[in-house]
Amino acid sequence: MTQTTDIHPDDDLATITTRARAKTDISHIYEFLGCRTSDAWLSLAKDNLPLLLQDHANCEKKAAGTAMNLIFRYEFHRDLQERLAQLVREEMLHYEQVLSLMKDRGIAWHYLPAGRYAKGLLKHKRTHEPAAMVDVLIIGAFIEARSCERFSALADVIDDEKLARYYKYLLKSESRHYEDYLALARSITDESIDERVAFFREVERELIDTPDEMLRFHSGVPSRELLAQSQAHA
């Protein structure tokens, strides 16, 4: 896929993947999340980068779609509209970039079922407003923060230098996205969101720290069965 000519030079994929970037401090991400990615997940992920790139593309597309849905559903929130419009643009740019990375590596697009992560978070969403909207935004913050944490972790272990540089490029925007989601959640309610943030931190931690039967960008610790299947196909 050819990059369009109106992309900012800092967002040009050829530039991103050939130049080293300044280190992005994500210590606040580690403080926000309830746990770090396991070595077992990283080991399996770095050996299955084609699958991971496919799921990464799906995640960028879903993130843009979620933000767009929120724009239509809550059109009376001006600040939310503006921030989410920017997020949609960025997520779709990332989607296009990941598709290009897949094409460069000869990775064909195929159907990939979703993992348990997002559903595991959303099943705890409250059903009345504005509580439902607050929960969706908090969930969005955790998804973005986990993405950021995993981009950083993967960049340090994968052998694909260009992809590692791309993941480092994503750290700045992903770390800002989680902060934007939290700020929006606080802006639509007069009540403190701290209790709900703490609640979803524990839900998210459990999804990441417990055995998972599928490898996905936001999956948990690989189960014994999953590791056995991977070794059998190695």
Side-chain angles (χ1 to χ4, degrees), residues 151-166:
F151 289 138
S152 180
L154 283 165
D156 290 338
V157 299
I158 61 177
D159 297 326
D160 189 323
E161 185 177 352
K162 288 187 175 182
L163 186 57
R165 287 177 175 172
Y166 179 66

Side-chain angles (χ1 to χ4, degrees), residues 135-232:
D135 284 354
V136 168
L137 293 169
I138 291 173
I139 290 168
F142 276 102
I143 293 173
E144 296 291 341
R146 181 58 62 188
S147 297
C148 186
E149 187 263 347
R150 290 210 155 159
F151 289 138
S152 180
L154 283 165
D156 290 338
V157 299
I158 61 177
D159 297 326
D160 189 323
E161 185 177 352
K162 288 187 175 182
L163 186 57
R165 287 177 175 172
Y166 179 66
Y167 285 157
K168 290 178 181 179
Y169 151 82
L170 289 174
L171 296 182
K172 185 176 181 180
S173 61
E174 298 298 319
S175 63
R176 187 185 70 253
H177 290 171
Y178 106 88
E179 292 176 325
D180 285 345
Y181 271 122
L182 286 180
L184 288 171
R186 292 190 178 98
S187 74
I188 64 170
T189 179
D190 295 329
E191 300 178 358
S192 171
I193 68 169
D194 292 349
E195 185 176 336
R196 293 302 288 174
V197 170
F199 170 79
F200 279 110
R201 178 178 293 115
E202 179 58 24
V203 173
E204 202 269 349
R205 183 207 61 76
E206 184 175 359
L207 288 165
I208 294 298
D209 260 357
T210 55
D212 204 324
E213 300 298 326
M214 302 169 68
L215 175 64
R216 296 292 184 268
F217 205 90
H218 295 93
S219 57
V221 178
S223 67
R224 292 181 180 178
E225 292 77 12
L226 180 58
L227 290 174
Q229 292 173 13
S230 178
Q231 292 171 357

Side-chain angles (χ1 to χ4, degrees), residues 11-12 20 45 53 66 70 76 79 83 119 138 145 152 167 190 203 212 223-224:
D11 295 320
D12 178 72
L53 275 169
T66 297
L70 288 171
F76 46 88
D79 189 43
R83 294 198 190 196
K119 289 181 180 179
I138 291 173
S152 180
Y167 285 157
D190 295 329
V203 173
D212 204 324
S223 67
R224 292 181 180 178

Side-chain angles (χ1 to χ4, degrees), residues 31-89:
E31 293 171 2
F32 177 69
L33 295 171
C35 66
R36 300 277 282 268
T37 291
S38 68
D39 290 340
W41 185 91
L42 282 172
S43 179
L44 187 62
K46 72 178 183 179
D47 292 335
N48 291 274
L49 289 179
L51 183 151
L52 213 64
L53 275 169
Q54 168 80 73
D55 195 51
H56 180 184
N58 286 341
C59 289
E60 299 291 358
K61 181 170 57 175
K62 290 175 184 176
T66 297
M68 184 62 74
N69 287 337
L70 288 171
I71 286 175
F72 280 104
R73 186 170 182 180
Y74 302 105
E75 59 185 0
F76 46 88
H77 287 282
R78 175 65 182 271
D79 189 43
L80 183 145
Q81 296 282 305
E82 293 176 351
R83 294 198 190 196
L84 290 181
Q86 179 184 3
L87 191 146
V88 169
R89 290 196 302 272

